[in-house]
Amino acid sequence: MYGSIMTGSLYGIEANLIHVEVDISTGLPGFSMVGSLSGEVREARERVQVSLKNAGFDIPPKKVTINLAPADLKKDGTGFDVPIAVGILQTLGYFREESTENILFAGELGLDGEIKPISGILPIVKAAALRGIGTCIVPWENRIEGSVIPDIRVRGARNICQLTAFLQEEDPDRREELLPVQPCDTRQLLERELHNSDCDFSEIKGQEIARRAAEIAAAGFHNLLMSGPPGGGKSMIARAMAGILPPMTWQESIEVTAVHSVAGMLDRDNPLILRRPFQSPHHTVSGAALTGGGVHMRPGAVSLAHRGILFLDELTEFPRNLLESLRQPLEDRQINIARAQGNYIYPADFMLVCAMNPCKCGYFPDKNRCRCSEPELKKYWNRLSGPLLDRMDMYVETSRIELEKLQSMGQGESSGEIRRRVMEARAVQEERFRGKSYSFNGDMEPRELEQSCALGETEKRLMELAYRRLDLSARTYHRVLKVARTIADLGHSDRIREEHLSEALAYRFTERTYGGK
């Protein structure tokens, strides 16, 4: 007796379709599984056998062989329990073979027959839809998440008995009652206003230069480094930036939701992530937690921040090797993790926002409070490498807030007002990059710079002077042009002018007396 059931297996944030082949024959009773299986998948043997027994199914003492094909792909996770159980029941004749045609199954089984939720349902359902599969049966708690994908019917099952009754039923109306299709109105979800953040710019006193830099960075998706004494509002500005970012498109929402689904961090009641992510790992974070990997491959903070903000507070407290690991994803917009079983590619198109103190005590250049010597300053700044600083599009220094500003009545410009200008600049960029793989000035490729960042004669002379006097690298030169293009977009200018370049150059990190590189 032979049966075959369709399921899916995660590989990075993508999913491969897997055939669960079941053979039950006479011979010495046993239960064997093959097909490049991880420890979690091998444990399915015990879970499935006990679950079916406790659910009341009679499993005869025969030789059961399970093959997960293709055998050369590494299988990981607990989502194979349900397809294995369905394959066994089908092979034993509990329902007809036609009942499982054009259906993908996924889910973990409890010992009492309950179907438990798993991570990564969204990529699995997406892969099934791309292959033309008509129906996916997933755990009940994953049904809303899976229904985000259009052009496929998603049904949620609570336990193996309910699922078996559905497969045994031949009346279409009765089948619909047993496992109804879960609808999801993605248009309504996208139209919801979910742009509120924990911090509003109106709550921030002073720091006009840093506020302006934050607006430019949000409009063009530029990396931003803020340096200043403690208590000046650097962290508040970074967190308020989440509230002025332009909304994600439907495709971006699907990408971000897929990453969080694979990581097992998706809210069951909110199947589609609409806000741009904001990740703020502590400086004690491990390498696997930051960039991804681990015993069980999972995306790290750089991937969870995909299409959003990765905020590193107290930048100089992070181990240097972790900071250096960010250089590659900042350029490639993805991270490639090589392991013995293969290469895993996770998206990492994030805006890097960093905050730090200017010295070890935090009060340089205030000589009345700072007691750091020049060697100490140099040692402190040497924690950051030149190549990493070169990848920061903008650098801004914050200052101590004056008492008059703290005690001033009224509020400053709100996040809503700033966000309106950001969205206007975003609309200009959408039109500029229509049909391209990127949509922000910060993502522009060098060949696009000649067309979108063309300079007049006056502007060329200014950049020639800055290139020589500031000793800019080619990468830095291009980043200045990108920032200037964003400043021009915010100013409703169709071309980059001298004042735009001057402001962009003012945000560049240069050699400083306290040891900066």
Side-chain angles (χ1 to χ4, degrees):
M1 295 180 288
Y2 170 83
S4 179
I5 301 296
M6 184 72 71
T7 188
S9 176
L10 293 176
Y11 194 84
I13 65 163
E14 301 296 331
N16 296 309
L17 297 188
I18 303 296
H19 292 273
V20 179
E21 300 177 328
V22 180
D23 181 81
I24 300 179
S25 58
T26 58
L28 188 65
F31 196 119
S32 60
M33 296 177 59
V34 296
S36 299
L37 314 178
S38 67
E40 289 178 329
V41 182
R42 292 186 183 280
E43 291 171 355
R45 176 176 54 191
E46 283 73 26
R47 285 194 299 269
V48 170
Q49 289 184 94
V50 176
S51 177
L52 292 178
K53 175 182 71 68
N54 290 337
F57 295 100
D58 183 24
I59 308 298
K62 292 188 176 183
K63 182 179 180 181
V64 180
T65 303
I66 308 292
N67 177 44
L68 304 186
D72 60 334
L73 290 178
K74 184 70 174 178
K75 319 300 187 310
D76 193 13
T78 59
F80 296 96
D81 294 6
V82 169
I84 290 173
V86 171
I88 291 174
L89 295 176
Q90 176 186 280
T91 307
L92 291 174
Y94 277 89
F95 39 80
R96 296 182 296 108
E97 184 177 343
E98 293 78 11
S99 301
T100 60
E101 287 183 354
N102 203 31
I103 299 178
L104 182 142
F105 299 84
E108 176 185 342
L109 280 177
L111 298 185
D112 58 351
E114 178 190 4
I115 298 179
K116 299 184 176 182
I118 61 173
S119 301
I121 280 293
L122 186 67
I124 292 174
V125 175
K126 182 180 178 181
L130 291 175
R131 288 286 295 271
I133 294 176
T135 302
C136 282
I137 297 181
V138 302
W140 177 260
E141 295 182 30
N142 290 129
R143 73 194 189 285
I144 301 179
E145 175 187 344
S147 66
V148 170
I149 303 299
D151 303 323
I152 190 169
R153 296 183 297 275
V154 176
R155 304 177 186 271
R158 297 179 185 274
N159 54 65
I160 192 64
C161 294
Q162 182 189 32
L163 177 54
T164 303
F166 170 82
L167 295 173
Q168 290 174 335
E169 185 61 55
E170 297 185 3
D171 182 13
D173 295 334
R174 176 58 180 159
R175 285 166 65 94
E176 192 65 30
E177 292 178 6
L178 288 169
L179 293 183
V181 174
Q182 176 65 42
C184 181
D185 189 349
T186 55
R187 184 185 298 274
Q188 182 180 2
L189 288 172
L190 284 171
E191 290 175 352
R192 290 169 56 188
E193 286 292 333
L194 290 177
H195 306 297
N196 297 327
S197 62
D198 297 332
C199 182
D200 194 279
F201 270 98
S202 61
E203 302 171 7
I204 302 171
K205 302 288 187 179
Q207 306 299 3
E208 287 78 8
I209 297 176
R211 290 163 60 100
R212 168 66 173 172
E215 178 181 341
I216 297 170
F221 222 66
H222 301 291
N223 301 325
L224 173 64
L225 171 60
M226 294 179 286
S227 172
K234 300 185 296 298
S235 299
M236 286 186 67
I237 292 173
R239 296 186 183 280
M241 287 179 67
I244 65 173
L245 291 174
M248 291 191 292
T249 63
W250 183 84
Q251 182 60 39
E252 288 175 330
S253 295
I254 291 295
E255 292 176 12
V256 173
T257 304
V259 175
H260 284 72
S261 176
V262 171
M265 299 177 63
L266 195 62
D267 187 347
R268 308 294 183 193
D269 297 326
N270 296 308
L272 188 65
I273 296 178
L274 301 176
R275 299 184 192 177
R276 292 192 180 270
F278 182 90
Q279 291 288 315
S280 180
H282 192 259
H283 59 78
T284 58
V285 66
S286 67
L290 181 64
T291 60
V295 177
H296 303 291
M297 291 297 299
R298 290 293 184 270
V302 297
S303 297
L304 294 172
H306 180 59
R307 303 294 187 181
I309 294 176
L310 176 66
F311 176 48
L312 302 184
D313 202 1
E314 304 297 342
L315 180 65
T316 52
E317 299 301 319
F318 283 81
R320 180 157 178 162
N321 65 309
L322 287 187
L323 296 179
E324 295 303 298
S325 68
L326 297 176
R327 289 162 53 181
Q328 179 263 330
L330 282 172
E331 289 295 319
D332 299 340
R333 303 297 180 180
Q334 65 181 23
I335 188 160
N336 191 335
I337 302 175
R339 293 292 184 267
Q341 60 268 34
N343 291 340
Y344 296 81
I345 298 177
Y346 295 112
D349 188 0
F350 58 89
M351 181 200 307
L352 180 61
V353 179
C354 304
M356 58 179 287
N357 295 328
C359 65
K360 188 175 181 180
C361 72
Y363 296 104
F364 184 86
D366 185 353
K367 293 300 183 181
N368 294 324
R369 306 181 70 182
C370 179
R371 295 294 182 266
C372 297
S373 64
E374 184 174 339
E376 288 175 328
L377 288 168
K378 186 176 291 293
K379 181 179 179 181
Y380 178 80
W381 278 91
N382 280 341
R383 298 179 186 179
L384 307 177
S385 69
L388 178 64
L389 292 173
D390 202 38
R391 285 168 169 80
M392 304 304 298
D393 299 318
M394 305 175 67
Y395 171 75
V396 64
E397 294 179 353
T398 61
S399 58
R400 184 170 176 264
I401 304 176
E402 298 298 330
L403 180 61
E404 292 77 9
K405 292 184 178 180
L406 283 176
Q407 294 179 337
S408 62
M409 301 299 291
Q411 294 182 331
E413 196 174 28
S414 69
S415 292
E417 297 173 58
I418 299 174
R419 185 172 178 274
R420 177 183 54 79
R421 295 196 296 268
V422 169
M423 290 186 64
E424 290 176 357
R426 164 68 166 158
V428 174
Q429 295 171 72
E430 282 184 345
E431 183 63 30
R432 177 182 300 131
F433 303 127
R434 189 178 301 277
K436 295 183 170 59
S437 59
Y438 46 88
S439 55
F440 285 99
N441 290 331
D443 297 332
M444 265 194 291
E445 297 178 354
R447 62 174 177 269
E448 180 69 26
L449 290 172
E450 296 181 4
Q451 179 178 351
S452 300
C453 300
L455 302 179
E457 291 301 321
T458 303
E459 289 76 23
K460 284 183 179 179
R461 286 195 294 272
L462 174 61
M463 288 304 296
E464 288 173 3
L465 181 64
Y467 188 81
R468 293 186 175 89
R469 290 196 175 181
L470 300 180
D471 195 23
L472 303 180
S473 66
R475 180 192 291 116
T476 305
Y477 179 85
H478 289 158
R479 290 184 182 274
V480 170
L481 292 180
K482 294 176 184 179
V483 173
R485 180 66 266 177
T486 300
I487 296 172
D489 290 341
L490 287 168
H492 305 286
S493 175
D494 57 350
R495 60 181 291 266
I496 298 176
R497 303 185 185 277
E498 190 174 5
E499 60 267 24
H500 305 142
L501 287 172
S502 298
E503 184 175 1
L505 287 167
Y507 294 123
R508 284 310 307 170
F509 188 90
T510 57
E511 287 280 352
R512 298 183 183 274
T513 57
Y514 46 79
K517 292 185 176 181

